[in-house]
Amino acid sequence: MSARATAAAVRDPELPVVTIEELGILRDVTERDGRVTVTITPTYSGCPAMDVIRADITAALHADGYRDVEVATSLAEPWTTDWITPAGQAKLQRAGIAPPAKKTVLTLTVRCPRCGSPDTQELSRFGATACKALWRCRACREPFERVKAI
Amino acid sequence: MSDTAALALQLGDDALIAAQRLAEWCSRAPEMEEDIALANIALDQLGAARLFLTYAGEAANRTEDDLAYLRDDREFRNALLVELDNGDFAVTIGKLLFLAVFQRLRYESLAKGPDRRLAEIAAKARTESAYHAEHAALWTVRLGDGTDESHRRMQAAVDALWPYTHELFEGDAADLRRPWLAEIERTLGEATLTRPADGWAPSGGRVGVHTEELSKLLAEMQVLHRAHPGATW
């Protein structure tokens, strides 16, 4: 596989249903003189998963035979939930995590990712990781997580 | 130290000390969801602090850890507001409201500023600060427009903290007081709280003259690193 494809296939440790490419945090992969440089950006400034992501990228590239790997971090353009790809959004939905609304679109309801009902309620604006909030569905009574829209 | 590095240090210290105070609520917040919320906000603040302190220390060849763990209170440049004890939950929410609205305005302004590194960090942190400010405003309204007891406590918190808000607008940040006041007054109004009169305006944090409360905070935050220099996880 190309270095780009290998890096792109690394899964996010906190949201393992999506790859770092689908999450929108993989920004660039370059190869020069045998060295692979992968540039990623954090979802949140304090995201504690960054160290694990760096290690996972390095390990995946080493396993594919790329020996000289550097993982750089860039803040510009800052990540927002709009960077999540349509494929990533669909995978989150299927895993029971409501994807965030696009910031550019006015959304009135959050649909339950399990039963599809719009009759949902925010329980907590913060959740188990920096990028998620906690919701519940009033129709099927199930709690669910939602990627916070920022 | 260059003006830019000094500014980065100030911004980093505000965020670092705010993070440490918020983290004190871990396992002690009034409800489970709020425990998670305060810890998440602390984590965002710590993330911003690390970026700012890394930048602040680069020219002097000092790491983020050197700056966080190996300075004494007189070398910290945070505003007094963030170092004050947490008090009850209303005081914590009041501190967060005043700080987060200020940080959001400051970061918005810096994101358009001339220094590229500061602008990138600020552009990243401003959406997080906006989320913190919304959270603090929701609680301010819920407590202020809640029961007699929650109203009394929220008003007492706002009254006690108000003098410390003036220091935030020292120096380059003076222009931000007007938009800050507009937003804070709107929230206090919605919360049926009275906006305190301006008067006593304690100061000194930006030149390293702090309260005793910072010394105690640092003693706890730095003890491990000072006992085991260079320790890493």
Side-chain angles (χ1 to χ4, degrees):
Chain A
M1 279 210 282
S2 71
R4 164 92 206 180
T6 299
V10 170
R11 292 179 179 277
D12 181 82
E14 302 271 22
L15 294 167
V17 295
V18 294
T19 65
I20 59 172
E21 184 176 51
E22 289 161 344
L23 188 57
I25 61 173
L26 177 67
R27 289 300 167 79
D28 195 29
V29 182
T30 57
E31 269 187 270
R32 205 163 75 189
D33 304 330
R35 160 172 280 211
V36 179
T37 303
V38 180
T39 306
I40 55 174
T41 194
T43 52
Y44 284 76
S45 329
C47 178
M50 287 298 279
D51 288 337
V52 176
I53 296 170
R54 275 186 212 103
D56 287 352
I57 291 170
T58 307
L61 285 163
H62 282 173
D64 268 10
Y66 299 96
R67 301 175 73 167
D68 188 2
V69 177
E70 180 192 35
V71 182
T73 306
S74 162
L75 291 177
E77 297 278 320
W79 181 88
T80 68
T81 35
D82 285 354
W83 282 83
I84 302 176
T85 64
Q89 300 247 358
K91 285 185 180 176
L92 288 170
Q93 177 91 29
R94 279 201 299 279
I97 302 167
K102 288 273 179 192
K103 296 289 279 182
T104 43
V105 180
L106 180 67
T107 312
L108 297 175
T109 58
V110 173
R111 287 187 177 274
C112 171
R114 295 179 198 277
C115 74
S117 168
D119 187 13
T120 57
Q121 179 189 17
E122 186 181 66
L123 288 179
S124 171
R125 305 179 72 250
F126 296 84
T129 69
C131 52
K132 287 180 290 189
L134 194 60
W135 285 62
R136 81 170 148 209
C137 176
R138 289 202 189 90
C140 72
R141 302 271 169 191
E142 284 291 326
F144 63 91
E145 293 186 306
R146 180 184 189 228
V147 177
K148 296 185 320 202
I150 64 158
Chain B
M1 181 180 278
S2 73
D3 287 352
T4 305
L7 177 57
L9 188 66
Q10 199 183 95
L11 296 161
D13 283 349
D14 278 353
L16 176 66
I17 302 303
Q20 182 70 13
R21 277 286 180 234
L22 286 165
E24 290 174 9
W25 278 100
C26 213
S27 80
R28 292 174 171 81
E31 54 189 40
M32 176 78 91
E33 288 78 6
E34 195 52 28
D35 207 283
I36 292 168
L38 294 176
N40 265 288
I41 295 172
L43 191 59
D44 288 345
Q45 293 280 353
L46 187 62
R50 294 184 60 181
L51 295 167
F52 282 127
L53 292 182
T54 297
Y55 188 32
E58 266 175 15
N61 208 19
R62 301 182 80 183
T63 68
E64 51 178 323
D65 279 359
D66 293 340
L67 291 175
Y69 295 130
L70 299 175
R71 280 182 299 156
D72 289 321
D73 55 351
R74 294 297 292 260
E75 297 169 276
F76 274 80
R77 292 294 177 266
N78 58 281
L80 302 179
L81 176 73
V82 298
E83 74 196 40
L84 298 178
D85 279 343
N86 279 333
D88 63 11
F89 184 63
V91 172
T92 295
I93 289 300
K95 283 172 65 176
L96 182 61
L97 176 72
F98 294 155
L99 174 71
V101 173
F102 167 73
Q103 283 178 321
R104 202 203 69 221
L105 292 166
R106 191 96 213 250
Y107 295 155
E108 279 170 2
S109 146
L110 285 169
K112 292 177 281 190
D115 187 85
R116 201 172 65 94
R117 279 279 291 281
L118 278 184
E120 285 181 3
I121 302 170
K124 181 75 206 159
R126 69 179 162 183
T127 51
E128 294 164 11
S129 287
Y131 205 82
H132 305 163
E134 283 172 32
H135 184 71
L138 284 171
W139 268 112
T140 302
V141 172
R142 183 167 161 190
L143 295 174
D145 194 16
T147 65
D148 288 347
E149 177 64 1
S150 71
H151 177 89
R152 184 187 68 76
R153 286 195 183 214
M154 195 66 229
Q155 184 67 59
V158 167
D159 291 346
L161 296 170
W162 194 261
Y164 293 92
T165 61
H166 296 282
E167 187 188 19
L168 298 173
F169 305 98
E170 286 177 356
D172 291 349
D175 291 349
L176 302 179
R177 181 156 163 88
R178 187 191 290 266
W180 181 88
L181 266 178
E183 190 163 331
I184 295 296
E185 284 173 356
R186 194 166 58 240
T187 300
L188 294 181
E190 200 186 331
T192 72
L193 296 167
T194 307
R195 183 259 217 225
D198 294 329
W200 183 49
S203 171
R206 302 303 191 197
V207 290
V209 182
H210 293 280
T211 66
E212 184 182 341
E213 288 153 41
L214 180 68
S215 308
K216 293 175 180 167
L217 178 150
L218 293 180
E220 186 170 295
M221 186 176 85
Q222 298 178 334
V223 63
L224 188 117
H225 199 88
R226 289 192 189 260
H228 304 278
T232 56
W233 291 100

